[in-house]
Amino acid sequence: MAQLQMFRAQWMFELTPGVGSSHGETRPCRAGRSSMLKAAADTKGRQELAKEEKARELFLQAVEEEQN
């Protein structure tokens, strides 16, 4: 039961917008501010898509397990 609660807490944390990996994405470099923001937005968008795909896979796996 504790594992399930830990899993749910981690899952909710990962789904919360703006929490987690946003700190390491905006390191200063020679690129202009707008290109840095665009790169960070692209990275964040890819991360969101990856999270959604992983959530979908886990959901489908859970459905299959329940059917068995």
Side-chain angles (χ1 to χ4, degrees):
M1 192 69 172
Q3 273 187 317
L4 179 60
Q5 289 175 337
M6 287 174 42
F7 171 77
R8 285 180 179 162
Q10 180 65 29
W11 178 64
M12 291 303 291
F13 175 78
E14 290 175 359
L15 292 179
T16 304
V19 176
S21 62
S22 62
H23 298 291
E25 293 175 1
T26 56
R27 292 186 179 158
C29 64
R30 293 182 182 198
R33 181 173 170 83
S34 62
S35 19
M36 283 176 42
L37 291 174
K38 183 178 180 188
D42 288 347
T43 301
K44 188 169 185 167
R46 278 180 272 160
Q47 288 175 345
E48 290 300 316
L49 288 174
K51 284 181 188 178
E52 288 178 16
E53 182 62 30
K54 181 68 174 176
R56 184 177 188 278
E57 288 175 14
L58 290 173
F59 174 76
L60 293 174
Q61 182 180 358
V63 168
E64 185 177 333
E65 290 293 324
E66 283 197 19
Q67 289 175 350
N68 293 336

